Amino acid sequence: MTDLSAHSDLEHGGHEIHYDPEGCKIGFWLFLFTEVFLFGMLFIAFGVYLTGYKADFQASSAMLDVKMGGINTLVLLTSSLTMALAIRAVQVDKKGQSLFLMLVTIGFAVVFCVIKYFEWTHKFHTGIHLGSAETFGVPSVLTDMPRGQQLYFGLYYVMTGFHAFHVLVGSILIMVAMYYVANGKVNKDRITLIENAGLFWHLVDLVWIYLFPLFYLIK
Amino acid sequence: MSDHAHEEHHIMPIKTYILVWVALLFLTGITIGASYVNMYKFTVFTAFFIATIKVTLVLLYFMHIRYEKPLYTWMIVAVLITYGIFIGLTYADYQFRW
């Protein structure tokens, strides 16, 4: 009588696992906040060094390809739209449409990673890397650059790398959501899993919205 | 607490999603355009400001915060205040080191 959770389990038929959409959602938001702090601390580091080495940061920023970054911004924003629409499709009970939209979202994620790959390898071939000549074909010129530029590219690789890793994890989450939407376990009455996958995907987008102008457009 | 009924979902029209997306693309264009204008001290600030508008749009519409309980908004406010404290402390430290 005093145990409320046991009571509500009985209401749901006793043996059925208790489904708590609100709890799932709040829990996932709390996880997202830890992600905000993870990237947030890197942004603070970026901000502090930007104040300290303004000229070096601007010179480094001019070395990035705005076109590549710009296209990747469009790709990520559009993928956020398709993901939001995929969730809406489940809300209105359109399973096929939702699966298609999630597939498109993953397609955009692949495009993003391919562009990122070309950006990084291009930088490696011009000698901006921390490895040896044997690994990347050319000796590192980064160690001879001014300290501010070393810091800039260090942060560039760490932050865009971390972000790309999140794109990868987000794609896996969307694939999991596709699996459960396909077999009907996620439907308009049990939507939390795809909603949370979507929230993660939008967070990846949010991080990029700050990353792009701060790295590419400060010259 | 007996809210074990189906969750209430606000279903937004597709048009809203498309409009938000168009606004995001438009703001991206403005950010890139603004980066070619020399605004001296305000370059970074402008980029940051426009990015914050974009982030707010994503939070409100794509992440549905506008239609969620106020609890979510307050959680986000708490995170922003905490983050603000981190920024303040870091810069206070940095002022006395450089």
Side-chain angles (χ1 to χ4, degrees), chain A residues 74-87 105 108 198 201-206 209, chain B residues 17 21 24 58 62-63:
Chain A
L74 299 189
V75 168
L76 265 200
L77 289 177
T78 312
S79 78
S80 251
L81 171 75
T82 53
M83 191 59 207
L85 289 177
I87 296 168
T105 310
F108 281 129
W201 192 253
H202 296 314
L203 178 94
V204 170
D205 194 22
L206 292 188
I209 288 176
Chain B
Y17 286 109
W21 175 69
L24 289 170
V58 172
F62 285 177
M63 296 172 98

Side-chain angles (χ1 to χ4, degrees), chain A residues 199-214:
Chain A
L199 286 176
F200 188 83
W201 192 253
H202 296 314
L203 178 94
V204 170
D205 194 22
L206 292 188
V207 172
W208 184 260
I209 288 176
Y210 281 119
L211 266 183
F212 171 62
L214 289 181

Side-chain angles (χ1 to χ4, degrees), chain A residues 22 25 40 47 88 195 210, chain B residues 9 12 52 68-69 72 83:
Chain A
E22 198 70 42
K25 209 191 287 175
R88 189 192 177 276
E195 269 189 340
Y210 281 119
Chain B
H9 268 110
M12 291 198 294
T52 304
E68 298 282 7
K69 296 192 176 102
Y72 293 90
Y83 187 52

Side-chain angles (χ1 to χ4, degrees), chain A residues 69-135:
Chain A
I71 293 171
N72 258 353
T73 308
L74 299 189
V75 168
L76 265 200
L77 289 177
T78 312
S79 78
S80 251
L81 171 75
T82 53
M83 191 59 207
L85 289 177
I87 296 168
R88 189 192 177 276
V90 174
Q91 285 177 332
V92 297
D93 232 352
K94 285 184 182 159
K95 193 164 145 179
Q97 196 186 63
S98 172
L99 287 172
F100 171 73
L101 285 165
M102 280 192 276
L103 201 65
V104 172
T105 310
I106 292 172
F108 281 129
V110 171
V111 172
F112 180 90
C113 288
V114 167
I115 292 176
K116 200 86 252 166
Y117 168 82
F118 281 115
E119 258 190 291
W120 273 35
T121 45
H122 177 70
K123 278 273 157 304
F124 291 160
H125 290 312
T126 54
I128 299 172
H129 60 73
L130 297 166
S132 60
E134 289 82 54
T135 328

Side-chain angles (χ1 to χ4, degrees), chain B residues 73-92:
Chain B
T73 312
W74 288 114
M75 289 203 297
I76 291 170
V77 170
V79 166
L80 291 180
I81 292 171
T82 315
Y83 187 52
I85 292 170
F86 281 134
I87 293 175
L89 287 175
T90 311
Y91 271 87

